[in-house]
Amino acid sequence: MIQSNSQSTLDSNILQALPDEILSTEKAQRMAEFFSFLGDANRLRVLSLLANKEFCVSDLAALLEMSESAVSHQLRNLRVMRLVSYRKQGRNVFYRLHDSHVFHLYQSVAEHLDEKD
């Protein structure tokens, strides 16, 4: 076992304050699962449309060239993760982004990827 003789250069006040600032293991795991969940191209395509306006399943399916069943499946998963919400109007169900946090997350990632080095 290698032991380090070096001492931290951090002030003790900073060290005492850090535990409140460090991401907990539980929250880090939940965030990792969240980002992993977003690692699906079809889910991101659905979010890209819903970032602009609300749509019903049939319109999303037509725009994405996917079956209504596949779109419904993705929307159900997005609802569970609280990324989309819906409202019923007659026989139609309209989906939209759950809140502004989801929109800003989507927008920030899209802008980051569009940046040129």
Side-chain angles (χ1 to χ4, degrees):
M1 181 190 327
I2 299 174
Q3 242 180 6
S4 174
N5 290 334
S6 64
Q7 290 188 336
S8 173
T9 58
L10 295 174
D11 180 276
S12 63
N13 291 331
I14 293 172
L15 289 174
Q16 288 175 351
L18 276 179
D20 293 335
E21 303 298 323
I22 297 172
L23 192 60
S24 72
T25 303
E26 178 186 335
K27 189 166 185 178
Q29 181 62 43
R30 288 178 46 220
M31 289 176 74
E33 290 168 3
F34 178 85
F35 283 113
S36 176
F37 174 80
L38 288 178
D40 181 282
N42 286 325
R43 289 183 193 133
L44 293 172
R45 292 176 71 222
V46 169
L47 291 177
S48 73
L49 289 171
L50 297 178
N52 295 298
K53 65 178 263 179
E54 67 178 18
F55 286 98
C56 65
V57 173
S58 59
D59 289 344
L60 285 169
L63 290 165
L64 296 169
E65 297 179 347
M66 294 171 62
S67 70
E68 287 187 26
S69 171
V71 170
S72 291
H73 175 75
Q74 295 301 341
L75 289 166
R76 187 172 30 260
N77 289 328
L78 290 165
R79 266 195 345 255
V80 168
M81 293 299 287
R82 294 180 29 234
L83 294 171
V84 300
S85 53
Y86 67 95
R87 69 176 177 85
K88 292 182 179 183
Q89 182 176 340
R91 296 178 64 195
N92 287 319
V93 179
F94 290 89
Y95 289 85
R96 63 188 174 280
L97 295 184
H98 183 71
D99 59 27
S100 64
H101 296 110
V102 177
F103 174 75
H104 293 301
L105 176 64
Y106 169 81
Q107 187 178 41
S108 293
V109 171
E111 287 174 4
H112 177 72
L113 294 175
D114 289 341
E115 288 177 356
K116 305 231 186 292
D117 290 331

